[in-house]
Structure formats: C-alpha cells, structure tokens
Amino acid sequence: MFSILDYLENYKNIKVKDVHWNDLDNLLCAILVYVPLETFSKRKSLEEFYTSAQEVKPLDEAMGEMVRTAYLALDIIRNSDRYKNLKLSNFINLKNDNTQFGACTFRISGKTVVSFKGTDSSIIGWIENFRATYSYPTFTHNLAIEYLKTNTHKISDTEIYVVGHSKGGNLALVSAMEAPQNIFKKIKNVYNFDGPGLRKEQFESEAYKKLSGKLINVLPTGSVIGVLLYNDNYNVVSTEALAFSQHYPVNWKVFGEFFVPGTISTVSAQLHENTTTGFEKLDAQKTQEAFETVFTNLEKSYSSKFNFSFDEVVKLYKNMKNLDPEISQSIEQTLGTVLKSVVGK
C-alpha cells in the first residue's frame, strides 16, 4: 500500500510547475498544522519551521498519530525541490476550556493554503465535535471564520485552498461558507478530510449550495468522524487499517497523485444515519441541555486529555442516567456505533 508519505518521497523533487498542486499537497498542509509549536505570526521558511519543530518534538511515546505523521512528513520534505519555497505564517495553537483551535497559512507558487487543525486528545476538542450537532456557529467556528478573513483579505494570490483534517475539515467548510464574497471568489477548493458535516439547517442553506461546487469531502471506508451530520458527494478512500486507525490519513491508500477509491462501510453509513435523520426528531434545546449535562458531569477540566477508548465511552454512558429518555436513547445509539468503530467489532 502506498501512502501520503510515499507520495511525498516520490514527488519531493518534482516542482509544482511540472506536477500541479493537487489533493495530496493539500493533505500535507492539513497534516503539518498538527506540529505542536506555540503560536507565532512571523512568516517562516520551511527550514525555519523544521528547526522550530525539532525543538519541541515530543518523545515517541507521547506523540499522537497525527503529530507523528507531521514529523515524518517534515523529515521527507525538508530539503525538497517541490516544497523548498513553502512559507508558513500566522500559526495558532490554542487550547483552553472554551476551545481547542489550531491553524496555519501556507503560501507557495502563487497559492495560499489556509489549514485548520483537527481534534487533539483534549476533552474540549471532542466536545466541539458534539456541539456541532446542535449549535451553529460554535465558539471555534467563529475563530475559524475570523482566521480565514484575517489571513486572506489582503493577499494578491488568486488561488486559495481551505483545508483541514477531522474537526479541522469542518472548520474549513464553515469558514469558507461564511467567507465574504471578495474572499470566496478566490477560493478554488475546500478540502474536508474526514471531518464532520453540518446541521440540516446549514446543509440546506443557500450558502452551502453556493460552496458545494468547491467542496471536496475525503473520508476512509470506515469513517467515524467524516460521516457525522449532513454532507454529500463523498470521495471514499480505500484503506487497510482497522477500526479508528482509518481516521488517520497516513493509512489512506494513494497511487501517484491520487487517492485509491473505496466504498463506505455499513457501520459508517449507520453512524451517518444516526446523526442526521436520527437527530431530526429530537428537540434541539433538550438535546443541547443533555449533551452539556454529560460534559459537565465528566468532572475534568475541559482542556485535559480524553482518550476515545472503551473505558472513556463507558464513562459517558454513566453520565446519561438522568437525561430525557428519548435523547438518551439516541445518544446511546450514536455512541454505540462509534464504539463499534473504535474497537473494530
């Protein structure tokens, strides 16, 4: 199986003018934003970014899969012809009890790529995923909307890509959908790499219809995150990974410059159903109150870690004892389907 890392290795010395900027180059930008640097605004060269990244490189056992992939990618492209002129600026890495948010702006060969970071291991990162089922825009949505405006309104580039993996893909979708016309017309494509979709109200809006021709949704066959909520026109990627490991792009099959097509799994299709038509019958206010009650009863700081494991999901179940029965049943069905994907059964 060839992966994004094989693509980088094989194409690293082929200049952009010889092989056009493509889906996998945009995926690279969605991966690099996971490097655990502190926030900086100054523009950095790829070599400067690499040096800074090495200074904060975690021990292997402390790395999450996306951070590990980001460092492997950096090692490959560091001295490449294809990416040697890549510039990075306005890097944000923010986490507190209100949000877990990351972003970076990349520029290369007259192109601008705005990349949003996905969910890390924090509780607030996962809470934001669930809040998107009953709230729009969320606190983090607003940060992404403002980030895209701030970092693109003065640029001369006429080709803008907005990208993100996991929750970052949803942020890319929302920020582009809410972008002013002068920015929107410069956006060539928006890449949602296995990130959640939208609530029905936003999915059926004129803003989404306007964006849909530019939107590229990429998800693996056994998607857990990318099938949440309303979305359409999925580009399903084949993968040999099992369970939740399919969420990580390093496990997606590629051939040359392209993803290898796959077919969505039955479990993923069921999860999509649970969080779309399955949620339609629920009272929005009661759903919000139910989720917020579950979050409050976690008895942890929202910025602390949450490993989406069997034990952690069981804790969520225990926090639903006194919820509205109909809402509790719906949440249990959704979590049960997620758990099937996580444990691979």
Side-chain angles (χ1 to χ4, degrees):
M1 179 189 78
F2 295 111
S3 71
I4 178 63
L5 298 179
D6 295 305
Y7 167 78
L8 297 176
E9 186 65 49
N10 292 327
Y11 283 74
K12 66 182 180 181
N13 291 320
I14 302 177
K15 296 179 179 180
V16 174
K17 68 181 182 65
D18 296 321
V19 172
H20 64 90
W21 190 261
N22 57 62
D23 296 355
L24 300 183
D25 296 311
N26 283 304
L27 177 56
L28 169 65
C29 294
I31 291 171
L32 292 181
V33 76
Y34 280 92
V35 172
L37 285 170
E38 295 294 324
T39 297
F40 67 82
S41 58
K42 178 184 176 183
R43 181 174 296 182
K44 292 180 182 254
S45 67
L46 179 58
E47 182 61 27
E48 290 171 329
F49 184 77
Y50 177 89
T51 300
S52 298
Q54 297 310 305
E55 293 172 354
V56 297
K57 188 175 183 179
L59 297 174
D60 286 346
E61 58 269 24
M63 283 190 193
E65 191 60 45
M66 292 305 299
V67 175
R68 181 177 292 105
T69 303
Y71 275 99
L72 291 172
L74 267 178
D75 286 339
I76 294 171
I77 70 172
R78 178 187 180 188
N79 295 313
S80 65
D81 287 336
R82 186 170 183 80
Y83 305 106
K84 68 180 180 181
N85 294 321
L86 189 67
K87 305 295 183 184
L88 306 90
S89 62
N90 297 313
F91 187 97
I92 293 180
N93 192 7
L94 174 64
K95 181 165 62 180
N96 54 40
D97 283 350
N98 293 318
T99 187
Q100 176 261 310
F101 175 71
C104 184
T105 300
F106 300 81
R107 295 191 72 187
I108 186 171
S109 302
K111 300 170 178 59
T112 294
V113 183
V114 174
S115 176
F116 293 105
K117 182 180 178 180
T119 307
D120 65 6
S121 59
S122 64
I123 291 176
I124 187 62
W126 283 103
I127 286 176
E128 281 288 312
N129 281 330
F130 285 106
R131 278 179 175 160
T133 66
Y134 55 80
S135 179
Y136 184 92
T138 65
F139 184 90
T140 308
H141 281 155
N142 284 325
L143 291 179
I145 292 167
E146 185 59 32
Y147 183 92
L148 181 61
K149 288 180 185 177
T150 301
N151 288 280
T152 56
H153 79 286
K154 288 184 178 181
I155 64 168
S156 58
D157 296 342
T158 57
E159 193 171 315
I160 298 174
Y161 297 91
V162 190
V163 310
H165 165 257
S166 192
K167 182 182 72 175
N170 175 263
L171 296 179
L173 162 58
V174 169
S175 64
M177 193 170 75
E178 301 293 346
Q181 180 58 26
N182 66 315
I183 295 173
F184 184 86
K185 66 183 181 182
K186 291 184 178 182
I187 296 175
K188 184 172 183 179
N189 287 120
V190 176
Y191 285 84
N192 181 358
F193 292 110
D194 203 28
L198 300 165
R199 296 163 69 243
K200 185 178 182 182
E201 181 180 354
Q202 282 71 49
F203 179 70
E204 295 179 344
S205 69
E206 289 302 316
Y208 176 80
K209 292 175 184 176
K210 183 179 175 183
L211 176 69
S212 60
K214 299 184 177 188
L215 179 61
I216 299 174
N217 294 298
V218 181
L219 47 77
T221 54
S223 174
V224 177
I225 306 300
V227 291
L228 298 176
L229 304 178
Y230 286 90
N231 220 336
D232 57 9
N233 298 323
Y234 295 126
N235 294 297
V236 182
V237 181
S238 180
T239 173
E240 293 177 351
L242 299 175
F244 195 74
S245 293
Q246 295 188 42
H247 181 54
Y248 304 122
V250 72
N251 295 320
W252 300 352
K253 290 184 180 180
V254 307
F255 188 80
E257 307 154 45
F258 307 97
F259 293 111
V260 177
T263 303
I264 200 73
S265 72
T266 302
V267 172
S268 294
Q270 182 60 54
L271 186 55
H272 179 68
E273 180 71 17
N274 288 350
T275 58
T276 53
T277 56
F279 275 12
E280 282 182 27
K281 62 184 179 182
L282 303 179
D283 180 274
Q285 184 61 38
K286 287 183 178 180
T287 301
Q288 178 173 342
E289 291 172 356
F291 271 111
E292 295 299 331
T293 297
V294 170
F295 301 150
T296 300
N297 289 339
L298 287 173
E299 298 180 349
K300 290 183 178 180
S301 166
Y302 283 0
S303 58
S304 62
K305 287 187 176 182
F306 179 86
N307 297 314
F308 214 92
S309 62
F310 179 85
D311 289 341
E312 294 285 10
V313 173
V314 168
K315 290 178 184 177
L316 287 178
Y317 275 114
K318 290 180 179 179
N319 286 335
M320 294 190 295
K321 289 181 179 178
N322 299 315
L323 301 183
D324 179 281
E326 186 177 30
I327 293 174
S328 177
Q329 181 181 18
S330 181
I331 295 175
E332 285 182 14
Q333 287 176 346
T334 300
L335 288 177
T337 307
V338 170
L339 188 56
K340 285 181 183 179
S341 300
V342 171
V343 301
K345 295 181 180 180

